Amino acid sequence: MNYILNAYALQDLGYRSNQEDSFYPPFIDACQYEGKALRGSGKKGVAREKAYYDGTPHTDDRLFIVCDGMGGHARGEVASRIVTETMSKAILRSVSLEGAFNDDMVQNAVDEALDALIAQDDPTEVKKMGTTMTLLKFHAKGATVAHIGDSRVYQFRPARKNQPAKIMFRTEDHTMVNDMLHNGQLTVSQARNSNQKHILSRSMTSSRHYRPEVEINHITDIQPGDIFMLCTDGIFERMDDDALCTLLTDPNYDDVERAQQILHECIRNRDNHTAIIVRVENVINTEGQNHNDALSPGTVLKSENYTYHIEKVLGHGAFGITYLVTTNVSMQGQLGTIHTGVKVALKEFFMHNDMKRDGGELIEIAPESKVKQFSDKFRREASKLAMLSHPNIVRVLEVFEANNTIYYSMEYLPDGTLNDYVMARGGLPEQEAIGCIRRIGSALMYLHANKMLHLDVKPANIMRSESTNTLKLIDFGLAKRYVSTGEAESSANLGVGTSGYAPLEQADGNREQEFSPQIDVYALGATYYKLLTAQVPDTAVEVLNRGLSTMPLVKKKVSQKSIDAIKAAMEPTIAKRLKTVEQFLEMLPRVDDEQLFPQENHDDRWKWMSFAIVMAFLSIVAGVKMLHNDTLSTAPQEEVSVVDSNFEIPMVHVEGGTFLMGSDRKDADADEKPVRKVTLSSFSIGKYEVTQGQWRAVMENVKSTTSKNANYPMFNVTWNQVQVFIERLNKKTGRHYRLPTEAEWEYAARGGKKAVATNYSGDDSLEMVGWYADNSNRHPHTVGSLKPNALGIYDMTGNVWEYCSDFYAPYEGNDLRNPHGPRKGDYHVIRGGSWNSLDNYCRVTFRQDNSLISVTPDMGFRLVETR
């Protein structure tokens, strides 16, 4: 990418005697801001030094740096100047002619600046020179942000059609208070009022014994009109984030007026304050610059079913062009038929070197040409893609012919690729990366079960939806299908894939007839590497010759389990590489592993999220009731109350009977087999999962670490804590509550004597009956808000895992009556999946184990009552 930028700077001395802020680059046309003297300023009517700088940088290197010297004395000014000058020279010296820019260049510049500070240091001074540092560099791949300390970098996006102005990105201050907040040592309110919130935990100083870690972020979502701002902390004496966003995105101000307005707003600030404002005037796509072959915006294409209006080009490939288009669809509901316009992506078969347009019309393809052969392949592959149905694979609307070529339309995800998201954050936390990989792994397992390879798995081929927290695998241009014998049915060849993600054998034409999921396994491992490090892995040749470089993983403090899994997936030798995606996913750490991922205190998080969650829930329930009003029962609306011994927990009677427990399906796990005949006596089971309101009422003064929504399921409790709850509940009520046995749980989840063979409890559509990874937005939901099963029991699929009384052990093949599992063990059975689970874990026969002392945010329970 190339960026046309307009940049402006402002600076104010404040009430300080010296200016400790420094910035790069120098600007032209310095202009003084003549403000009136303030009462008590000691200036006696003389205007304070205030200046804004209009014009553009006198260099074209698109590098901006702002530093704030520390300590309130003149040596802070020296430190900020040294860092600004040293880093700018180091970076401009190292940037390649092609504009390539990477993290090593930033780190090297920081190291040079630290060495320069030490060289200028007076060893007799007790108080060392120090400064904060912020950096913004535009380059071919987007923008890189680096910072140390509490000066900030922002990205603002002005209001667009149906979208308000918003902050797209903001650095996070390196302060003691912020660190304590993230570590759970302070609450949000305590942090906001702390008198230590300006004490830095990271800064650039002349100490020989301390080297701060620079935080680096990458931004790829940059649009014309976006405004970036680098500024020192003095700006925030009177302006917060919302005020800055409102001012800088106000369409009534031009660039110079924005600088003047900030100076005016900050006229009473005591501290120095400095800012550089950078407006992106235009973004020029320099990759494949000749796009004259594409259809122009406004072009209309028609199929038998839809009319498509082209808005813009989304991307180009060797065999096609993808457009953003709008089309009209009709939806039938209680209000009758509603016609509405929707945005979809449209892919056109177009070989750039072999196909031509006459105006907007494509010249007809000759029947015997190679283009005709490839167009037939494109049609077959598109038709096969249209038959796929998986929540993590892009959905195809239709395949059709028009304009002398082939098109297919598919759902459009507006929030960019997973690669954009990863680069903007400089890599993902390990737990978040694991969740992403498990979802894409699920899509690959589905493909492989249908004898299909993707052959180009990478973050750039995974689209995101921010609002639904959805990931979708796209771009099946290289995909290849095989018949059940493993022989190639697909017409496309393997292709060489993408460097860093493709194993050596993918380029071997002799292997085209062999069905090998190991190609996708290698790419999935490489994708996980990229999610964790924000770096593309070494090429397959480099991995073969020198081994996989794990240092970037180590620097990111990735667990050894994940490193081992990546190495096993990216093993260059086929015989030693993992054979299936399942094997790779099994090697990954569990996200509830407390040793690897200590659980945070969720009190504060739930406090500020509670309103958003309630509103989201209300909108979801409203939508679901409109569509499924005839199948939904009323969810509990009030917190359960306790009056002496009349504590009531809604129960559902389950008539005893005999059923086949377990599963003999091919995709069932080994511990779900063998299927055995089990006979159960009648019992009653909770209509809902035990709620937080019920827990608090019984446990009284026992502290809960969950949210305060009374009708959320209780979670973050161990199996042993549940036993204490049951003991107190039974004492209060005089009844006999307990956890269900595993057999009772599965019998009730299936629907007892009313059972219908479904994958999940109540339906084959998981969205209808359970909150899970793809629809939960990564949090639990009010109990009873989705469809119940045949017995009227809610949430036996999803929401939270549910404890059973049994210890975990392999099944025995004998027929059993009222089984209770083994008498001893280290792990108890949990069932049903949770808001954080993939669909496979939510099946009624799926079994999972959990330790007696493990506590996770997706672990809950329901009760059984026997008389």
Side-chain angles (χ1 to χ4, degrees), residues 657-712:
T658 300
F659 75 110
L660 296 177
M661 184 175 179
S663 175
D664 56 4
R665 291 176 19 163
K666 289 183 178 180
D667 59 351
D669 288 355
D671 64 354
E672 299 172 43
K673 306 170 183 178
V675 173
R676 69 265 187 83
K677 186 182 293 184
V678 174
T679 302
L680 296 174
S681 302
S682 299
F683 59 95
S684 295
I685 192 167
K687 186 175 184 178
Y688 311 106
E689 293 161 331
V690 170
T691 67
Q692 296 183 27
Q694 292 166 341
W695 178 274
R696 287 197 296 271
V698 172
M699 303 300 279
E700 296 175 346
N701 295 326
V702 175
K703 188 179 186 302
S704 166
T705 58
T706 57
S707 85
K708 292 187 177 180
N709 187 318
N711 289 319
Y712 273 16

Side-chain angles (χ1 to χ4, degrees), residues 54-129:
D54 62 9
T56 56
H58 68 68
T59 62
D60 197 30
D61 45 61
R62 293 172 175 78
L63 171 67
F64 306 93
I65 300 175
V66 169
C67 293
D68 181 2
M70 296 163 49
H73 58 96
R75 300 182 79 244
E77 181 176 356
V78 176
S80 65
R81 176 177 52 79
I82 289 173
V83 169
T84 301
E85 292 177 356
T86 306
M87 288 193 65
S88 59
K89 290 177 182 177
I91 288 174
L92 296 180
R93 184 178 65 245
S94 61
V95 172
S96 70
L97 293 176
E98 296 78 23
F101 190 74
N102 57 48
D103 293 0
D104 288 341
M105 295 178 183
V106 176
Q107 187 61 61
N108 291 338
V110 169
D111 290 340
E112 284 194 32
L114 291 171
D115 291 340
L117 284 175
I118 294 171
Q120 290 289 327
D121 187 35
D122 182 353
T124 64
E125 285 279 352
V126 176
K127 200 166 188 178
K128 298 297 181 182
M129 292 190 298

Side-chain angles (χ1 to χ4, degrees), residues 227-439:
I227 296 171
F228 288 77
M229 178 178 179
L230 301 84
C231 58
T232 60
D233 66 328
I235 292 287
F236 310 120
E237 286 185 29
R238 301 187 186 276
M239 298 194 75
D240 59 15
D241 291 356
D242 291 338
L244 283 170
C245 184
T246 299
L247 191 155
L248 289 173
T249 60
D250 191 329
N252 296 312
Y253 296 136
D254 63 23
D255 295 327
V256 174
E257 288 171 335
R258 291 188 178 101
Q260 290 175 318
Q261 282 298 119
I262 291 179
L263 282 169
H264 180 75
E265 293 292 332
C266 298
I267 195 171
R268 292 178 174 81
N269 289 5
R270 303 194 65 83
D271 193 10
N272 305 158
H273 43 277
T274 298
I276 295 177
I277 303 169
V278 183
R279 181 172 58 83
V280 181
E281 187 169 285
N282 199 6
V283 180
I284 301 172
N285 186 349
T286 58
E287 297 180 6
Q289 293 183 354
N290 182 16
H291 297 332
N292 296 329
D293 292 332
L295 294 171
S296 59
T299 301
V300 177
L301 291 171
K302 292 185 178 181
S303 69
E304 291 184 5
N305 303 308
Y306 300 98
T307 299
Y308 300 96
H309 299 264
I310 293 179
E311 291 191 5
K312 63 178 181 179
V313 174
L314 292 175
H316 291 252
F319 291 90
I321 304 173
T322 304
Y323 304 91
L324 175 64
V325 301
T326 57
T327 187
N328 289 321
V329 297
S330 301
M331 296 185 296
Q332 190 69 32
Q334 293 183 348
L335 299 178
T337 302
I338 299 175
H339 303 282
T340 184
V342 297
K343 294 183 184 298
V344 296
L346 182 71
K347 189 158 188 176
E348 175 190 52
F349 174 72
F350 186 87
M351 296 177 64
H352 293 273
N353 295 328
D354 300 278
M355 297 176 70
K356 304 294 180 183
R357 296 189 195 274
D358 183 5
E361 188 76 14
L362 274 168
I363 298 174
E364 188 172 356
I365 301 170
E368 303 302 322
S369 69
K370 70 172 184 178
V371 176
K372 176 63 175 175
Q373 297 173 19
F374 279 107
S375 70
D376 291 341
K377 296 174 183 180
F378 183 90
R379 180 191 296 104
R380 286 197 291 270
E381 297 299 343
S383 299
K384 289 166 185 173
L385 179 57
M387 293 188 292
L388 299 177
S389 177
H390 188 277
N392 298 116
I393 295 177
V394 65
R395 294 187 180 94
V396 170
L397 182 62
E398 66 168 345
V399 182
F400 65 96
E401 295 187 24
N403 196 23
N404 292 323
T405 190
I406 316 297
Y407 296 88
Y408 66 87
S409 55
M410 53 191 164
E411 62 181 319
Y412 170 63
L413 281 76
D415 296 317
T417 68
L418 184 57
N419 189 67
D420 297 335
Y421 180 65
V422 169
M423 296 306 293
R425 301 181 62 189
L428 304 183
E430 189 171 354
Q431 281 178 296
E432 184 178 1
I434 291 171
C436 294
I437 287 299
R438 289 196 183 280
R439 280 180 278 172

